[in-house]
Amino acid sequence: MEYKVLVTVFIAVFIAELGDKTQLATMLFAADKDVSKMTVFIGASLALIVASGIGVLAGGVISQYVSEKNLNYIAGIGFVGIGVWTLLRA
């Protein structure tokens, strides 16, 4: 296992997920007194696992057709675009 990649991915995803809509939705589900916190945790965890799996599979397929360098440019432009769009909406 490549521990450097593991730690890098963990930190990047952890920071990206903090305070986002997914975490807020999970907090709202967990705030319901009649709902098991373990059920909310398991459901949210499984959803993140499946979403991450889709991302890994899509990345594997896309990387067969697009170079890593171009993917980095596309991702960078995408993140900047989302940031600008978010700022304009604020």
Side-chain angles (χ1 to χ4, degrees), residues 3-74:
Y3 290 105
K4 183 177 180 181
V5 174
L6 175 71
V7 170
T8 301
V9 171
F10 175 84
I11 291 170
V13 172
F14 182 77
I15 290 171
E17 291 297 320
L18 282 178
D20 77 341
K21 291 180 279 187
T22 304
Q23 187 180 33
L24 296 175
T26 303
M27 288 170 45
L28 289 174
F29 283 116
D32 187 340
K33 294 175 187 164
D34 299 327
V35 174
S36 163
K37 308 313 177 229
M38 184 57 71
T39 302
V40 173
F41 174 75
I42 291 170
S45 298
L46 290 174
L48 187 54
I49 289 169
V50 171
S52 296
I54 292 169
V56 169
L57 290 173
V61 170
I62 291 170
S63 69
Q64 293 176 355
Y65 302 101
V66 181
S67 73
E68 184 178 349
K69 183 178 180 179
N70 286 336
L71 282 175
N72 284 326
Y73 285 131
I74 292 167

